[in-house]
Amino acid sequence: MNAIILAGEKKGDNSNGLENKALLKIHDRYMIDYVIDSVKKVPQIGKIAVVGEKDHLVPALGNKADYIIQGTDSIVNNILLALELFPQDKEILVLTCDIPMITPEALEHFIENAREKNVDLCYSIVDKSINDEKYPEVKRTYAKLREGQFTGGNVFYFRPEIKDRCKDFIDEMLKYRKNPAKMARTLGIIFLIKLLLGILTIDAIKKKCDTLLNINAGVVISPYPEIGNDVDKISDLELVEKYLSAY
């Protein structure tokens, strides 16, 4: 399988100063360098395509990625553009550039479990207790489900054959991956009510996706909190710098 790394820049006013997260420096290395290095160490992955502002990424990355292509303002369109590079692929891994603590082990675990589930689309989530144990200072947005409290990950597995029927839905899920309430609204008001009550189940979400999109969806509960610890604000960057100090 091949991997797509989303490295688009945020446009417009951003008080956090994190418009171009891919090229933020962490200990004199670009943030995206950490992600690429981990992806390269995953034996299941062949080539890497980075999608973003090509004029900025090419000078910074050189030949670290197999492909660097110009992106758009749409996450899903960027994925579709990258998929054109891999027309024969039966499965694709998609991840964001802002998870510099991601490890090869975390990616391998996710890929292996997604494959075992034999699904068309798979999403990663992390239990709050796992994140709190390893990174107690890190604050994330959590959804309370019947099985526990979970935050969304930044890694996705899917089979390109479903892209046309799922592109609008995937766009919304990617856009709202850190906003459980909006994700629930996309899936229906009943889901929102159940979410607010903390009685929504992971299996119910899966079945809803299956019905809406006529696919076999899946969720991997990752024991690796790095898969969900993205850099959205300056405080996140400071914590990442602390934990990567020994890199």
Side-chain angles (χ1 to χ4, degrees), residues 34-219:
Y34 291 90
V35 180
I36 292 175
D37 284 353
S38 288
V39 172
K40 284 184 173 180
K41 293 174 183 176
V42 178
Q44 298 97 324
I45 295 175
K47 295 184 180 300
I48 300 172
V50 175
V51 190
E53 198 64 41
K54 189 173 181 179
D55 288 345
H56 297 165
L57 291 167
V58 170
L61 298 182
N63 60 0
K64 292 176 183 177
D66 298 283
Y67 306 98
I68 300 176
I69 61 177
Q70 179 61 43
T72 69
D73 291 334
S74 166
I75 293 175
V76 72
N77 284 342
N78 287 347
I79 295 173
L80 294 175
L81 284 171
L83 283 178
E84 294 178 6
L85 300 170
F86 310 121
Q88 305 303 317
D89 278 26
K90 301 300 182 183
E91 53 183 359
I92 285 285
L93 187 76
V94 178
L95 62 164
T96 60
C97 69
D98 57 354
I99 46 173
M101 295 193 296
I102 191 67
T103 63
E105 293 77 17
L107 295 174
E108 285 188 60
H109 174 273
F110 176 69
I111 293 169
E112 289 170 359
N113 280 267
R115 284 176 167 175
E116 286 177 5
K117 292 176 181 293
N118 191 30
V119 293
D120 300 311
L121 172 66
C122 199
Y123 183 49
S124 58
I125 61 176
V126 177
D127 191 299
K128 183 178 185 296
S129 63
I130 298 294
N131 198 52
D132 288 348
E133 180 180 355
K134 191 166 185 180
Y135 303 111
E137 307 103 316
V138 173
K139 305 300 180 184
R140 301 251 66 92
T141 299
Y142 294 94
K144 184 180 179 182
L145 305 178
R146 183 173 293 174
E147 297 90 342
Q149 295 184 66
F150 299 91
T151 189
N154 292 267
V155 181
F156 303 82
Y157 166 100
F158 76 99
R159 293 174 175 168
E161 65 187 49
I162 69 168
K163 65 181 186 297
D164 290 334
R165 50 189 149 129
C166 297
K167 58 185 180 181
D168 292 337
F169 177 81
I170 293 173
D171 193 23
E172 290 187 337
M173 290 296 98
L174 284 166
K175 189 184 303 179
Y176 300 144
R177 67 184 184 278
K178 293 300 179 183
N179 191 322
K182 287 187 176 180
M183 289 180 75
R185 285 195 198 103
T186 299
L187 294 168
I189 189 63
I190 298 301
F191 271 69
L192 177 59
I193 294 172
K194 287 184 176 181
L195 175 63
L196 293 174
L197 294 175
I199 61 174
L200 191 64
T201 66
I202 293 173
D203 188 59
I205 297 174
K206 168 195 158 40
K207 289 178 179 177
K208 184 70 170 181
C209 291
D210 290 351
T211 301
L212 283 175
L213 302 172
N214 190 29
I215 64 171
N216 183 19
V219 174

Side-chain angles (χ1 to χ4, degrees), residues 24-36:
L24 284 175
K25 285 292 187 76
I26 302 174
H27 301 304
D28 296 322
R29 303 181 67 213
Y30 294 119
M31 182 182 297
I32 194 172
D33 284 338
Y34 291 90
V35 180
I36 292 175

